[in-house]
Amino acid sequence: MRKQLALASLAVLAAAAATPARADVVIGPRVSYYFDNSNLRTTGIDAGLEEGDALALADIAVLRTAFGVEPELASIGESEGVLADQIGYPMVGAMVNFGDDRDRFTLTAMYGSGEGDVALSAAVSRTLTLGDSQFVDLLNFDAKAVSNTDRLDVELTWQRRKSESFALLAGLRYERLESSFTGDLRIVQSAAIPTVIALARAAAAGDPPPAGVPSIPPVTAGVRQDGTIETFSARGGATAFVPVGDSAVAFFNGMLQASYRPDYDVVTQVIDPAGVFSDRVASRDEGELSFGPDVSVGAQFILSQNLALDLRYRAVLFFPLSGAESFSDARVNHVSIWVCRCASDDEGDGPAR
C-alpha cells in the first residue's frame, strides 16, 4: 500500500506540473512536515499476557493432593507505562482549489511515513490461592521497540470570502495511521508459586523438601504490535489576511474542530524461544470523541504572475470528551506546510487552505 500511495502522489504531482493554470481550478503540489504524538497513547504490552502460563494439569493434581483444596490462579495488571518519541512525518501530496470569487473549495491529499523509539513497561501480579493460603509472584514486562507508521491525510475545505481581508472557513478531514511496533521483550518473575509446586511434588513423592528452588532466569522474547487508527473530524471558523507589500499576504486561521476516533483493533504477538510466553492476542482499544482549537498562521508570496508559494504553521489540539483518556490529557499535533500554487490574476480566493 505504501508503494501504491507513493506512486499515486508522484502521478498527481506530475499532473499538477503539466496542467496549465485556469481561473476557476488551481492544482499544485504540497509538502509538509507533520508532528503527531498519537504514538504516546499505546496499548500496553501486557495485553493478553496476564493469563501467562496457566497451571499445568499435573501441577493442579499435585497441589490438590498436597493441600486438599482446589488451586486457583489469578492474574492482575498492576501498572503500565509508555515512553515514546513524538513521530515526525515528511509528507507529500497535492491540492486542488476550485470555485469562484465568492466560494472556494480546496481538496488536499497527503501521505508520509515516520518512525520513533518506544519503551513500554508493565507489571502483573499472579496469585495462587490454596484454601486460606495465598502465594504471590510478580512479573515485570519491559519492551524496547521501534514504531513505524504510515500516515494518510485527506481534507476538504470550503472558504467564503466576506471582504478583501476576511473569510469564513469550514471543512472535513480524514486521517489514517497504520502503525507497527517491533522490538524485544524482557520478562522477569519471582518464584514463589514454582517453589510451592516443588514442595507439593516432594511431599506427594515422599521425598524430603528441596533445599531451595533456583530463581527463574529472565526471558527475552520478540514482540510486535500492529494497529490502524482512523480519525474523522469537522471544523469551522474564520480567516483574516493582510497584504504585506506588493507581493505577499499574511493570514491567520482560527477554527474549532470536533473529531471522532472509532474503536480500533490491536494485535500483539510475543515470540518466546522457550514457548512459555509465546502468544498472539487480538484486542480492541476504545475510541475517542474530542474537540479543540485548530489554528494556523502563515504567508503567501507571489513569485510570478502564475506562481505563488504558501508557508504556514498549523496546530490542532484534541481534548477528549469520551474514551480512555481524561479531558486534561490533550493531544497536540503540529504541522509545517509548504505549498507551491499555480495562480492567476483573477483567481480571487486569497490564501486558500
Side-chain angles (χ1 to χ4, degrees), residues 232-248:
F232 304 86
S233 60
R235 60 207 68 219
T239 181
F241 31 93
V242 180
V244 180
D246 296 332
S247 60

Side-chain angles (χ1 to χ4, degrees), residues 168-203:
L168 299 178
L169 286 175
L172 301 173
R173 182 177 175 88
Y174 170 76
E175 303 173 42
R176 180 183 178 91
L177 298 175
E178 295 185 358
S179 299
S180 65
F181 299 85
T182 306
D184 295 321
L185 174 65
R186 189 172 187 267
I187 306 170
V188 179
Q189 60 179 320
S190 55
I193 295 176
T195 298
V196 173
I197 294 175
L199 292 173
R201 287 174 179 169

Side-chain angles (χ1 to χ4, degrees), residues 43-50 81 118-124 139-146 181-188 217-225 268-274 276-280:
T43 297
I45 57 176
D46 63 330
L49 296 177
E50 296 177 4
V118 181
L120 307 98
S121 63
V124 176
L139 290 82
N140 289 312
F141 300 89
D142 293 288
K144 291 185 178 180
V146 175
F181 299 85
T182 306
D184 295 321
L185 174 65
R186 189 172 187 267
I187 306 170
V188 179
V219 175
T220 300
V223 62
R224 179 184 175 92
Q225 190 174 83
T268 302
Q269 185 174 4
V270 178
I271 304 174
D272 172 17
V276 177
F277 289 95
S278 292
D279 203 357
R280 186 180 187 276

Side-chain angles (χ1 to χ4, degrees), residues 84-135:
D85 295 334
Q86 181 171 254
I87 296 182
Y89 301 89
M91 302 188 69
V92 297
M95 54 81 70
V96 179
N97 180 266
F98 56 94
D100 53 32
D101 289 346
R102 184 188 184 202
D103 294 297
R104 304 292 301 182
F105 296 88
T106 303
L107 177 63
T108 304
M110 303 284 291
Y111 171 79
S113 60
E115 67 175 38
D117 295 331
V118 181
L120 307 98
S121 63
V124 176
S125 63
R126 185 168 295 159
T127 303
L128 174 64
T129 301
L130 297 167
D132 295 331
S133 301
Q134 288 188 330
F135 305 89

Side-chain angles (χ1 to χ4, degrees), residues 149-168:
T149 304
D150 293 335
R151 181 180 187 91
L152 174 66
D153 293 349
V154 179
E155 185 167 12
L156 175 65
T157 301
W158 164 75
Q159 175 178 287
R160 168 164 289 183
R161 182 185 288 273
K162 306 297 288 186
S163 70
E164 290 301 318
S165 60
F166 180 79
L168 299 178

